[in-house]
Amino acid sequence: MRIVIIEFMSLDGVVQAPGGPQEDTDGGFAHGGWSAPFFDPEVVGGAFDDAMSGAEGLLFGRRTWQTMAAAWPGRAGDPFADRMNAIPKYVVSRTLDDDELTWNNTTRIPGDEAVAHIRKLRETDGGDLVVMGSPTLARTLLSEGLADELRLTVMPVILGGGKSIFPDDGGLRTLELVSTVTSAAGVNVCVYRPIG
């Protein structure tokens, strides 16, 4: 499987709480929901649908999984929601118990064994394992060389601080720009793949 990371991102690299005010207020983050003014169904929604078209599984960190698990089951009947609810899901967590995995088709990956488990998943045949949000997990995957593709939806806003997916270990990681599409609102949907 390929591991594909998809993120809504500000110009200064922040991925924290794009969806709503209370999504993630860690560190006093006060700009939750910042992506809404830039969302358009054709370019941004189309890019998200395209990323999901090759998905055979979803991989989340605990916080993102809990947010999604609270939202998607109640939207059954919509084709996209039905896909989100049916697709296999993996959540990396040190704190969740298996009996808390109430979202259909979810498997817990113990946090202290995450890298080894994800390497094994990546070695299996199949489509994409898509990571949404989950900045700590995405940063770990990039650090470990486990990300096969980045799909960054870069929005024309500077947030001045917040969570990022990029490792800060001083390592050089070169990427190839595979494609880019720009929306009328100035959003750049960029697809990158690691070189080497």
Side-chain angles (χ1 to χ4, degrees):
M1 297 183 99
R2 290 186 330 145
I3 295 180
V4 176
I5 298 172
I6 60 175
E7 299 286 347
F8 289 161
M9 181 176 289
S10 69
L11 283 175
D12 54 344
V14 175
V15 299
Q16 187 169 354
Q22 300 306 313
E23 183 179 346
D24 181 357
T25 58
D26 279 3
F29 190 76
H31 304 299
W34 55 268
S35 70
F38 307 105
F39 188 89
D40 73 82
E42 187 176 321
V43 174
V44 176
F48 198 82
D49 287 343
D50 184 57
M52 287 296 295
S53 69
E56 289 193 13
L58 303 175
L59 177 61
F60 297 104
R62 178 197 50 83
R63 182 190 300 265
T64 302
W65 179 87
Q66 286 177 314
T67 299
M68 299 288 220
W72 288 106
R75 298 178 186 173
D78 169 85
F80 189 81
D82 289 347
R83 174 136 168 78
M84 290 290 287
N85 289 323
I87 196 167
K89 292 166 278 294
Y90 302 89
V91 57
V92 175
S93 178
R94 288 185 173 89
T95 58
L96 285 175
D97 291 324
D98 287 340
D99 62 347
E100 295 176 90
L101 305 180
T102 56
W103 193 14
N104 189 38
N105 287 337
T106 297
T107 301
R108 185 176 63 86
I109 297 174
D112 55 348
E113 302 169 17
V115 171
H117 277 265
I118 293 168
R119 278 188 206 285
K120 287 180 186 174
L121 274 173
R122 188 172 177 242
E123 292 169 2
T124 62
D125 291 332
D128 296 340
L129 186 59
V130 173
V131 179
M132 298 176 194
S134 308
T136 303
L137 175 60
R139 191 169 38 258
T140 299
L141 295 171
L142 288 167
S143 294
E144 295 289 333
L146 292 173
D148 298 292
E149 187 170 278
L150 291 174
R151 292 182 174 230
L152 306 179
T153 302
V154 183
M155 304 196 175
V157 62
I158 296 171
L159 298 172
K163 293 178 182 176
S164 169
I165 64 167
F166 301 121
D168 59 2
D169 58 7
L172 176 67
R173 295 165 179 89
T174 305
L175 305 171
E176 168 191 20
L177 178 63
V178 176
S179 67
T180 187
V181 178
T182 303
S183 77
V187 175
N188 287 308
V189 178
C190 304
V191 177
Y192 296 95
R193 291 187 189 133
I195 294 175

